[in-house]
């Protein structure tokens, strides 16, 4: 039997200061996270401190690339340098919302983890809090001149 949980938490810690947002087949993404977590643990044992985010990202990229996966979010994340925490959170919520508008399997919410010097903070953003995108709008509805909405044919 197949069980689909659209609201499952797909944010996985790889280290105290690094989290992985998984997307796709749960068993595949869990396996990638397990491999990366193992490599991170070995790295931490060697250097004696928490790893750099860039190092963990490179380890994850190597595992995914060497196993023919695709990393769509890498280019987006590079654009966040120099942004405030609030700007970054809004950017991430919009990016995820846009992806959700194109994915019928999305759960209608965003799980956000923000990591700073004080640790990790989790936030659940419900569908009501997200900005709707063009793809989510009912194209059969049209404005009727009086400000009301009438159904188009």
């Amino acid at each position: 039997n197949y069980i689909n949980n659209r609201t499952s938490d797909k944010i996985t810690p790889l280290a105290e200061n690094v989290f992985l947002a998984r997307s796709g087949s749960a068993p595949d993404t869990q396996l990638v996270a397990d491999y990366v977590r193992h490599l991170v643990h070995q790295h931490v044992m060697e250097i004696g401190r928490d790893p750099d985010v860039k190092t963990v990202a490179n380890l994850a990229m190597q595992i995914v690339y060497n196993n023919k996966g695709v990393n769509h979010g890498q280019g987006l994340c590079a654009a966040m340098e120099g942004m405030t925490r609030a700007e970054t959170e809004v950017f991430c919520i919009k990016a995820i919302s846009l992806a959700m508008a194109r994915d019928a399997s999305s759960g209608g919410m965003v799980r956000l983890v923000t990591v700073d010097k004080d640790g990790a903070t989790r936030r659940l953003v419900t569908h009501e809090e997200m900005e709707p995108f063009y793809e989510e709008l009912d194209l059969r509805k049209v404005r009727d001149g009086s400000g009301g909405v009438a159904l188009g044919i």
Side-chain angles (χ1 to χ4, degrees):
N1 291 337
Y2 175 75
I3 299 173
N4 183 15
N5 182 354
R6 294 173 19 155
T7 61
S8 65
D9 188 352
K10 288 188 170 184
I11 298 177
T12 304
L14 299 177
E16 290 289 323
N17 59 330
V18 183
F19 290 75
L20 174 69
R22 297 183 294 116
S23 175
S25 168
D28 295 335
T29 61
Q30 287 169 345
L31 188 60
V32 168
D34 288 345
Y35 280 134
V36 174
R37 195 176 309 117
H38 175 72
L39 293 172
V40 168
H41 179 71
Q42 288 179 331
H43 183 65
V44 168
M45 297 297 287
E46 290 176 12
I47 64 172
R49 61 176 172 77
D50 284 338
D52 296 330
V53 174
K54 191 172 189 173
T55 300
V56 177
N58 281 325
L59 289 171
M61 182 179 65
Q62 288 174 12
I63 293 290
V64 172
Y65 180 78
N66 290 332
N67 292 285
K68 306 296 183 232
V70 180
N71 185 356
H72 295 290
Q74 185 176 6
L76 280 176
C77 294
M80 296 187 307
E81 288 185 30
M83 295 170 71
T84 67
R85 177 182 176 153
E87 290 170 334
T88 303
E89 288 178 354
V90 167
F91 176 84
C92 289
I93 292 167
K94 284 185 178 184
I96 294 168
S97 298
L98 182 59
M100 288 171 50
R102 292 170 167 78
D103 179 13
S105 299
S106 291
M109 66 179 68
V110 173
R111 293 180 192 274
L112 187 67
V113 176
T114 305
V115 182
D116 60 16
K117 65 182 178 1
D118 299 320
T121 306
R122 286 181 172 260
R123 178 176 163 208
L124 179 67
V125 181
T126 63
H127 187 70
E128 292 81 23
E129 299 174 73
M130 292 184 273
E131 177 182 331
F133 287 93
Y134 181 76
E135 291 83 3
E136 295 177 296
L137 300 175
D138 186 348
L139 297 178
R140 296 173 300 159
K141 293 182 179 178
V142 293
R143 293 262 172 217
D144 71 356
S146 67
V149 176
L151 280 180
I153 299 177

